[in-house]
Amino acid sequence: MESTQKMSYQITLSDKRGAKHRRAAARFVGAARRRLLDALADHPEITQSDIARELGVNRAVINRQLRGTAPMSMTRCAEIASVLGCRAEVSFIEPRKMVGDNAANAHPDFLQDDPLETPNSSFRAYYTHSGNYRIKGASNEPAVAEPGHGYFKVISASLPQMEFGL
Amino acid sequence: MATLKELCDQERLHRLKPDLDADQMQRRAVVIFDHVRSQIAALCGVASPTGNEFDLDEQFDALIYSFCIGEQFQLPGDFHEMDHRDPGVWELKTADLRLFGWFYRRDVFIVTDVKDATFVKKGPENVTVTVSLYHGFCTSAVHWRDQLDLDPPKFVDGKHPENVLSNYVVR
């Protein structure tokens, strides 16, 4: 509880053992449900009743699992995918240690007067109307940057050419 | 009048920054009122009343995470506009949570209340009559919005989801 009060403002919802991993699981299952609903929407000819009939369960069970009011096992996830004619796959991603190209897509409007802090770094990245991405490093000196291979490569003349790794 | 950033600097509002990996970037933003902090704290360790496999705080984190990384949101499953006399009140939702508020700009959501969905739909447990509190929470959102000394326009008007959110799909 105490840690929640100190949010300034990385969210710390719970410090109890395993909480971080539980949150990772909730994020994963939430994404899996969305992908299942996407797949279902791609097959409008197949209803939840059809899925339930194929799997030999009540339609309400499938409905609750898709809505998130009942647990969704990996088995059920794959079963539903199969009924939809899809193959479910799982990837295990090891996060890159450096700021990636994703940073280049940061939302522009919110950033105009409020630079978005690059996660886990001391650098701030924000989008400019000219289509460049500006970053400020520890020196607080602005530099024009372009996405590099997994990190930003600074191309400004105001700084010696350098690469920011984390 | 103040900008959103100034209000955050004054700690009247707080911007949520979910734990992201180094190769992830926020594409959307969630900002909460100061009083919402205690509402979030109250979610910790509360089991789902409907049978979802995750506690309420875990659902909250997953919702904020998926919103902030710009995941495709589903209308009305993940968000929708509230049917209320005042415009611009929206709800983000999970199986068991309802987040009321408004969009300050596209992809920037300001939260005024975070509540258990069962409570919102039926009212307090110790009251025998079922009372929907949706209207009350919408009114509360408008109240907080009116009180906030935020530079105009304070909210995105219009009912079309395109106005408030990028990357969504209607189901």
Side-chain angles (χ1 to χ4, degrees), chain A residues 1-70:
Chain A
M1 191 72 73
E2 174 60 23
S3 58
T4 307
Q5 297 302 318
K6 287 192 293 187
M7 294 184 286
S8 67
Y9 208 76
Q10 286 280 346
I11 314 173
T12 305
L13 288 167
S14 172
D15 286 339
K16 73 182 178 188
R17 191 179 186 86
K20 176 185 173 187
H21 309 307
R22 288 280 303 174
R23 288 197 292 274
R27 293 173 175 191
F28 169 75
V29 172
R33 277 204 174 90
R34 285 197 179 89
R35 297 297 80 77
L36 266 180
L37 290 169
D38 289 342
L40 192 59
D42 288 341
H43 296 81
E45 74 283 2
I46 301 176
T47 66
Q48 290 186 17
S49 297
D50 295 333
I51 295 170
R53 198 177 309 112
E54 282 286 323
L55 300 181
V57 298
N58 193 294
R59 192 194 72 85
V61 172
I62 299 298
N63 181 263
R64 285 201 301 270
Q65 289 176 329
L66 288 173
R67 282 193 302 120
T69 54

Side-chain angles (χ1 to χ4, degrees), chain A residues 6 16 18 22 28 49 82-83 88 91 95-96 99 102-103 109 125 129 153 156 159:
Chain A
K6 287 192 293 187
K16 73 182 178 188
R22 288 280 303 174
F28 169 75
S49 297
S82 179
V83 173
S91 298
R96 283 177 287 179
V99 176
N102 289 349
D109 290 340
H129 288 299
K153 184 177 180 182
S156 167
L159 282 176

Side-chain angles (χ1 to χ4, degrees), chain A residues 1 4-11 13-14 16 19 22-27 29-31 33-35 37-39 41 64 67-73 93-100 102-103 105-107 109-111 113-120 124-125 166, chain B residues 3-5 11 14-29 31-32 36-38 40-42 44-45 48 50-55 57-66 71-74 78 93-96 104-108 166 169 171:
Chain A
M1 191 72 73
T4 307
Q5 297 302 318
K6 287 192 293 187
M7 294 184 286
S8 67
Y9 208 76
Q10 286 280 346
I11 314 173
L13 288 167
S14 172
K16 73 182 178 188
R22 288 280 303 174
R23 288 197 292 274
R27 293 173 175 191
V29 172
R33 277 204 174 90
R34 285 197 179 89
R35 297 297 80 77
L37 290 169
D38 289 342
R64 285 201 301 270
R67 282 193 302 120
T69 54
M72 168 75 75
S73 68
I93 312 288
E94 187 174 353
R96 283 177 287 179
K97 300 291 189 296
M98 295 171 281
V99 176
N102 289 349
N105 298 318
H107 184 257
D109 290 340
F110 188 61
L111 309 185
D113 61 352
D114 182 16
L116 194 63
E117 287 182 22
T118 307
N120 304 327
R124 296 154 78 92
L166 296 175
Chain B
T3 65
L4 195 61
K5 184 176 185 305
E11 299 196 337
H14 306 278
R15 181 169 169 209
L16 299 183
K17 293 182 181 176
D19 253 348
L20 297 181
D21 291 327
D23 59 351
Q24 293 179 306
M25 176 60 90
Q26 280 197 229
R27 291 182 170 83
R28 303 185 185 125
V31 177
I32 64 171
V36 177
R37 294 167 62 169
S38 59
I40 296 171
C44 287
S48 162
T50 62
N52 186 285
E53 57 268 68
F54 297 106
D55 292 348
D57 58 320
E58 293 161 350
Q59 290 185 40
F60 177 81
D61 174 78
L63 177 68
I64 299 301
Y65 168 80
S66 58
E71 192 165 310
Q72 185 180 67
F73 263 40
Q74 303 184 351
D78 292 320
K93 54 195 283 200
T94 72
D96 295 310
Y104 170 63
R105 298 288 182 266
R106 193 178 191 227
D107 291 338
V108 181
S166 59
V169 62
R171 293 278 186 246

Side-chain angles (χ1 to χ4, degrees), chain B residues 2-14:
Chain B
T3 65
L4 195 61
K5 184 176 185 305
E6 287 168 344
L7 291 171
C8 289
D9 290 343
Q10 295 164 14
E11 299 196 337
R12 293 182 62 193
L13 299 174
H14 306 278

